[in-house]
Amino acid sequence: MPVLSANLGFPRMGANRELKRQVEAYWSGKIDASALLKVAHDLRKDHWELQKNVLGLDIVPSNDFTFYDHVLDHAFTVGAIPMRYREVFIKTNDDSLPCALEGEFLSTYFAMARGFQQLPSDGSECPVVDLEAMEMKKWFDTNYHYIVPEFHPDQQFKLTSNKFLEEYKQAKSLGIETRPVLIGPVSLLLLGKTSPNCPVDFEPIQLLEGLLPVYEEIIKHLAEAGACSIQFDEPCLVQDLSPKAAQSYHVAYSCLSTAAKKCVKPIKLHLTTYFGDIIPNLSLVLPNLPIDGLHIDLLRAPQQFETILDAAAKHPNLQLSIGVINGRNIWKTDLSAAFETVKKAVTVLGADRVIIAPSCSLLHTPHSLDAESGLDPEIKDWLAFSVEKIKEIVLLTKAANNGIDCIKDELEANQRSIQIRRTSSKTHNPTVQERLKCITRDMMHRRSTFDKRWVKQQEIFNLPRFPTTTIGSFPQTAEVRKARAAFKRGEISQEKYTEFINDEIKKCIQLQEKNDIDVLVHGEFERTDMVEFFGEHLKGYIFTKNGWVQSYGSRCVKPPIIYGDVYRPNPMTVEVAKYAKSLTKKPLKGMLTGPVTMLQWSFVRDDQHDKLTTQQLALAIRDEVSDLEAAGINVIQIDEPALREGLPLRHSEWKEYLNWSVDCFLLASCSVADTTQIHTHMCYSDFYDIIDAITRMDADVITIENSRSNLKFLRGNESFTYPNEIGPGIYDIHSPRIPLHEEMEHRLEEMLNRLKRNSIWVNPDCGLKTRKWNEVDLALKNMTDVAKKFRSKNC
């Protein structure tokens, strides 16, 4: 049998974000469920046929499609549906399960993801139904967000959805044999959390014995349908594991292997790891797990190759899948170097035991370069999106089976691209390099300690207790997007576009003043994205037209590409901030994105250490901070939501990363006078385990997501008193529901029990970009009402 080519997962949204548009049309009532299901059916068909029939891939994944999130899909599939959603939506008799994801099940699914609120017909505030969304969290160290499953000690698992089976059958009906993708049972439990009010000693991994029968049933259904193998994703194997979690892998895969062998036609189990190395946990996998295949990520962890290759050689029936194509970045692969890795694997194991694959799912890269007609041709030649990456996999597979000469022309073209990029003057700027050499420790310290700064700032701002603010963005309506698109196409002038943006800013200021917000923002209507906007004003970046990747649900982002040294040629936000400040007598925040987030949410150059790129970004932001201050903007927010996201997956590597990443934030923020108030914002990660690093950032005010995660940040830091001022989010902005007074009062009461009373700010969890104006108006009114109530209570 020859070397095989494989993909671990394909982008879901479609070449032109078809899924995004149709899901949002369904949410707004413009299409019904049958129309949405038809779009999904057609997209899956297109993606399978593209990978198999057009690109020539041997192993094509199925069940990698999702309407919102693949982790939510799996929680739903195994019946981990919290009772608060079941009671409202699911009326189907359990005997009819498993069911397709439609009807009441589709309504339940989206309520879990987004929340659900049904108001009475009489217009009163008290909802008939009011369900908050489940917690959302970053997927390992990526900018993708997953819905966190909830588990409780009495959890009863039951096969609830047949999505995995229906999608396999759909592909089979097209003549395409696929490998269904499942999140492995151990990782599914480890990625989850305990339901509210669970015993403190309960851990979801304790539920493994009850979960495994559902996975056995899934294996049985797929085998009966004709599946030959199943991909079990176990990314938690690249993390530090507790003894209980480590033991669980042998229990789980012994059980699943037995189930696979009992099938009429035995089915192979392919264990997939990514985002790091499994060497510290290798003894759990080889020789102990009865698996048929193992995938390893050789882009994030090339150092594990030799050790795992030696271990795999001792297991004559094991296939080794080597991730030699980067599934998380957009640079063309050095095919010559990758082929050497492939050749060594084939030499040691034999061709029939080697699979060539991306390092991880291609979920994290855009669909194709085909639509990118406006890129600098030289730089475009350095790039590879998902379709191009599959072409690289197929080329390497062809070379492995037929000899390197059969791809001679393609290899020569590839090597030219690699060499041109390596030596291009576009990637290196001597002035930037010299400035990096001038960085000193003194540039990373404020002039005075926080207590002294606070006195000076309060003399200027005179803020009340429980000051209110928002995180930055306000609704990006269809009108805003239409005007921006018209301006970019040259259909309206700069003058007309500026006039439109200024009108939106004025509307935003007026709404905030109407609702008595204390520290205002301008709304960010001129910005497509909090990273892309700044990248457009910096040198060293390029931008795609259609390079979208999924962030969460229907939300897509278009990460800019850092191809060379970064610097700021001109001020980026000063004029807009000055205009907004002229409209109000209240303090107004200048809004910036921090250097670490600029790095993490871009496609980053891979020819130098991330620390150097982040320092370049920090110097650019530092220049902008200084110019804002000089223009009279004396409250400046530097968002760093991705600081935690970039944290290495193993604790032993945390210290180095946190040292340089916090230093870069300080480099960006510490040029200002004591009277200038520096804010930062963080969201959708577990921050309680890096609280010392957050404290070292020395921001005057930090606002932090806290509501959707049900106050987890506060509860994780019960013994810690944050030294500066802090605004844990008081309501979730990713749900269309309007937060009630009572729930925000409850959250503020909890904050008072855990934080210094004179340090608390009142704000939403995150920016308001995805919400509608009427939702924002009502939510902010309720929020400021609560702040005023607590001031009047003299809390």
Side-chain angles (χ1 to χ4, degrees), residues 58 71 75 78 92 171 306 311 365 427 441 460 535 540 577 646 654 664:
D58 295 315
V71 183
V78 302
T92 301
E306 300 285 350
T365 54
T427 62
R441 297 301 306 177
I460 295 174
W654 283 17
C664 286

Side-chain angles (χ1 to χ4, degrees), residues 48 60-65 164 167-168 171 178-182:
W48 288 324
V60 176
S62 62
N63 201 41
D64 54 335
F65 174 88
F164 65 93
E167 292 183 11
Y168 172 79
T178 60
R179 184 171 67 186
V181 180
L182 299 173

Side-chain angles (χ1 to χ4, degrees), residues 218-227 230 260 263-267:
I218 290 172
I219 290 172
K220 179 174 178 290
H221 282 303
L222 287 171
E224 290 174 348
I230 302 174
C263 296
V264 175
K265 177 186 175 184
I267 192 167

